[in-house]
Amino acid sequence: MRERHWLDAGTAVPVVFFTTTVLCGLVQGNYNHLSRQVSELGTIGTNSQYLFAAGLVLSSFLSILFIAWLLGACRRLQLSVWPVWPMFAFSVSIAGAAMFPLPLRMHQIMGSPVFLLLLSPLLGLILWPKNRLAANIRWMSVLSLLIMALGFLAYFPDILASYPGLKQRFFHAGWAIWFVYLSRAFRRALENQRIEAGRP
């Protein structure tokens, strides 16, 4: 029961992350989520710097809890753990972004590993059989992967030139969908396992 409970942390991560960005945008007052990047909310000297850092650290902590219990759930369900390991890149990157805000050079360096997160839905698509986890695992893997991949539009300045913040948020939307989906899919799988084993 405790394992299934902590899997819900996967849903809490995007809730905390996006709530933080909304609140920080309100604190800044003139912040536009479509035209400005997320990291600008934590820029040194801004009114939202410390609120942003606190929200990212909390998101990182929750994601580590979620990933740890997700690894345990994989072992219990006899599923490959390889799709889970790339998710640690997310935890490291957002914690690094909090500790090294803009315009510090380390901000970009610490944020770079987050792109390894793309490997999680890709490996999930390959290694997690739908009959062992959820019937829609393949669709959700592809959906999350494609939405995260849209975040790479940030490297093409001529596309949606006026909306760099929107392009960056495609990536955040993709991982949020993936985290929430895994939280619910694994929780359901553990409950089904318990029912099949005849445990209360």
Side-chain angles (χ1 to χ4, degrees), residues 26 63 76 91 144 172:
L26 292 174
S63 68
R76 181 164 298 192
S91 306
S144 302
H172 293 300

Side-chain angles (χ1 to χ4, degrees), residues 125-144:
L125 176 65
I126 298 170
L127 299 176
W128 283 340
K130 63 180 183 179
N131 61 323
R132 296 281 298 283
L133 183 58
N136 58 352
I137 178 65
R138 293 179 180 175
W139 287 106
M140 294 305 296
S141 297
V142 171
L143 177 64
S144 302

